[in-house]
Amino acid sequence: MEVTDPVCGGRIPLEIVRAHEEFAGWSYFFCSAECAKCFRENPDAYVGDRPGGPPSVDAGR
Ligand SMILES: [Zn+2]
């Protein structure tokens, strides 16, 4: 399964996910601690373009 890193926009296999954060009830996954840090500092900037949207996990793919 692949997930989308909301900070850098990259698609990453779950096996290489380096960090994850919970925000507004969703789990977000990151390719690196750097991306996770950016998200933690300003989550609204990264979640804003998917209002009410699905989490970064694309289930069923
Ligand atoms: Zn990233």
Side-chain angles (χ1 to χ4, degrees):
M1 187 163 71
E2 281 187 328
V3 295
T4 301
D5 181 328
V7 176
C8 65
R11 295 184 60 79
I12 45 178
L14 262 187
E15 306 91 85
I16 66 161
V17 164
R18 291 281 180 259
H20 94 274
E21 294 287 332
E22 307 278 331
F23 180 74
W26 298 112
S27 291
Y28 293 90
F29 298 89
F30 307 94
C31 63
S32 68
E34 298 301 304
C35 284
K37 181 165 171 283
C38 289
F39 182 85
R40 215 156 44 228
E41 287 173 350
N42 194 10
D44 287 329
Y46 303 106
V47 187
D49 61 347
R50 34 172 92 219
S56 58
V57 174
D58 295 327
R61 283 224 170 171

